[in-house]
Amino acid sequence: MPPTTTLLGILDDGWAGLSDSARRLLAEADVVIGAGRTLELVRPHLAAGAEILDMDGKLGQVAGWIGNAREQGKSAVALATGDPLCHGIASWLTGKLGRDGFTIVPAVSTLQLAFARFKTAWQDVKISTCHSADAGEWFVGATPEHGLYKLMRAIARHPRVALFTGPENTPDRLARALITAGYGDDAKLSVACRLLLDDETIFAGLSPAEAAGMSFPQPNVVLVERAPETPRPSFGLDDLDYIQRAPEKGLITKQEARALSLAKLRLKPDSRVWDIGAGSGSVGLECARLAPHGHVWAIEKNEGDAANARANAAQFRVGNYTLVEGKAPAQLDSWPDPDAVFIGGSGGELGELIQLILARLKPGGRLVMNFVTLENLATATTALKASGAAWDVVQLQASRSQPILDMHRMAAQNPVWIVTASKD
């Protein structure tokens, strides 16, 4: 009979919480692999001659250890927390050893156990984690490189999120992140600390303000619950929904031009987008809503408009949006290559900007530009011809109804040229 390899789930109650068959696997194993603290839970029950390998800081060596055990005809057991298939090492190990490389024997997931303590169902939760690199406190405009980014996107899209924390990204840091992101008034946190240990502690229904000033024993599992938001359209919001520069209104890409421009951008859920000349933020913010797994980088040179764009991002709780003040092409070299770019204003550097964008645009990417002057249209088409890019122009002339006495008339808006270029 060939030697067996088992990935065995275990919780912090150690040997006492294992089934009889799991105990036999451990007691008979020639090689036992696990994190240091987990090995100490079972060490007294292992065979006298068993080889014990501590994988702390050596995760990359685990597959090799298992391979060596097989070659020597030895049985091996690798210990993992709870269910190894729920944010555990099973998927990674499968990639190294193949699906037939080992047997998985899960324990109750720590999430299952936490929800049992919270006494609430969990079939509808989104599972996430912030057990990642320490990137400091969350801040408005944080990019996908931040250690809390994926978690904050999950919270933005799901009213109930269960998560594993880490030594740096703790529940109190998460609570402060919720406050920063605008969820302070309608979110609740429940925290299950040190499950199955003598000092197990459960905190239920804390407000972010309460949790932000507390210290929580580790390890812990967190449930974030918030009131479902009133659904908003992903795009096509009314112009007056946006905060705009006062006293002049209208410094915004109008709804009709905005809708067509967004269609021309052909965004995917994970698109990375540049918004050049953000103005009040209407196009960039709707791009962010249409690409909930992506991110928008925006630049605006006018201080007042930039402040309005930030205020609009806050009122719509758009978290996958980074706005900087400046004049393009400054700062663009620090942004990742885009899938789509929108130009609503160029500050006189249009030809140079088009060349730069076409060089950086990902294959299959789209550049969409809006113009109201003949001169900018001519500059853009000349630059596109010189670059050899495929392009087209749509002239949009929209009229809106306005009341006149007890009737209505049509009031024309300024014509807009929508220029689209693609990168094959």
Side-chain angles (χ1 to χ4, degrees):
M1 184 176 179
T4 60
T5 300
T6 305
L7 183 55
L8 179 64
I10 187 170
L11 293 172
D12 282 344
D13 55 352
W15 189 261
L18 294 174
S19 65
D20 289 342
S21 59
R23 291 177 180 178
R24 281 196 300 273
L25 284 169
L26 270 173
E28 297 171 0
D30 299 311
V31 178
V32 179
I33 303 166
R37 62 185 295 274
T38 306
L39 290 171
E40 292 307 311
L41 298 174
V42 300
R43 191 182 293 272
H45 306 282
L46 303 181
E51 182 181 6
I52 301 174
L53 299 172
D54 188 336
M55 68 181 186
D56 285 338
K58 301 176 182 177
L59 179 61
Q61 301 182 40
V62 171
W65 290 343
I66 292 174
N68 291 337
R70 284 181 184 164
E71 291 175 3
Q72 299 172 31
K74 296 180 178 180
S75 61
V77 173
L79 296 170
T81 301
D83 183 350
L85 289 163
C86 182
H87 286 275
I89 67 170
S91 297
W92 175 83
L93 206 54
T94 299
K96 298 293 184 181
L97 301 175
R99 293 187 179 277
D100 298 325
F102 55 95
T103 300
I104 300 175
V105 179
V108 170
S109 163
T110 49
L111 285 180
Q112 288 177 281
L113 193 58
F115 276 84
R117 299 294 192 264
F118 300 149
K119 297 181 180 177
T120 183
W122 68 297
Q123 70 270 6
D124 62 337
V125 302
K126 172 67 176 178
I127 300 173
S128 188
T129 181
C130 57
H131 201 284
S132 53
D134 182 11
E137 297 285 319
W138 181 253
F139 58 92
V140 173
T143 63
E145 289 69 37
H146 196 286
L148 293 177
Y149 187 86
K150 289 184 178 179
L151 171 61
M152 296 305 291
R153 294 307 304 143
I155 291 172
R157 303 194 68 222
H158 303 276
R160 302 180 79 225
V161 177
L163 64 127
F164 301 92
T165 64
E168 293 84 19
N169 292 323
T170 54
D172 54 300
R173 174 177 282 183
L174 170 59
R176 291 189 291 274
L178 291 171
I179 294 170
T180 299
Y183 297 111
D185 294 333
D186 63 1
K188 295 291 183 183
L189 292 86
S190 297
V191 187
C193 305
R194 298 181 62 77
L195 289 165
L196 296 178
L197 296 175
D198 292 340
D199 57 348
E200 175 184 302
T201 308
I202 307 298
F203 301 88
L206 298 173
S207 71
E210 291 172 325
M214 297 173 63
S215 179
F216 296 87
Q218 296 185 12
N220 51 61
V221 177
V222 178
L223 168 64
V224 178
E225 298 176 286
R226 61 177 181 79
E229 297 180 11
T230 302
R232 289 182 181 271
S234 295
F235 76 103
L237 295 177
D238 190 274
D239 296 346
L240 295 179
D241 289 338
Y242 289 94
I243 300 167
Q244 303 170 45
R245 193 192 305 181
E248 320 103 276
K249 294 289 184 181
L251 297 176
I252 187 173
T253 301
K254 297 291 196 296
Q255 183 187 56
E256 294 82 0
R258 192 187 330 137
L260 181 54
S261 297
L262 289 166
K264 292 287 188 179
L265 285 167
R266 298 180 63 179
L267 300 176
K268 301 183 291 295
D270 61 350
S271 287
R272 294 190 168 200
V273 183
W274 293 1
D275 181 13
I276 311 297
S280 301
S282 62
V283 173
L285 293 171
E286 294 191 20
C287 285
R289 293 173 68 84
L290 288 168
H293 301 297
H295 196 85
V296 175
W297 286 261
I299 186 168
E300 171 53 50
K301 66 179 182 179
N302 182 280
E303 181 180 354
D305 287 337
N308 287 337
R310 291 192 184 96
N312 285 319
Q315 74 161 329
F316 299 135
R317 286 183 177 172
V318 177
N320 54 333
Y321 181 79
T322 301
L323 175 70
V324 296
E325 289 185 37
K327 180 180 177 181
Q331 304 195 50
L332 302 189
D333 58 350
S334 65
W335 294 357
D337 291 348
D339 299 292
V341 179
F342 177 77
I343 296 181
S346 65
E349 309 292 340
L350 183 58
E352 175 188 350
L353 197 54
I354 289 172
Q355 296 300 324
L356 182 153
I357 289 169
L358 291 175
R360 295 281 306 277
L361 200 61
K362 290 182 181 179
R366 310 272 283 190
L367 166 62
V368 176
M369 300 173 278
N370 283 188
F371 303 116
V372 295
T373 68
L374 290 165
E375 289 78 9
N376 279 342
L377 176 64
T379 299
T381 55
T382 299
L384 291 171
K385 287 177 183 177
S387 71
W391 58 275
D392 65 72
V393 180
V394 173
Q395 183 185 41
L396 180 65
Q397 173 70 70
S399 297
R400 294 181 178 179
S401 62
Q402 287 188 351
I404 177 170
L405 300 176
D406 59 343
M407 296 175 285
H408 291 79
R409 68 179 182 88
M410 299 304 294
Q413 300 181 47
N414 290 331
V416 179
W417 287 286
I418 297 175
V419 182
T420 304
S422 59
K423 185 172 182 179
D424 295 331

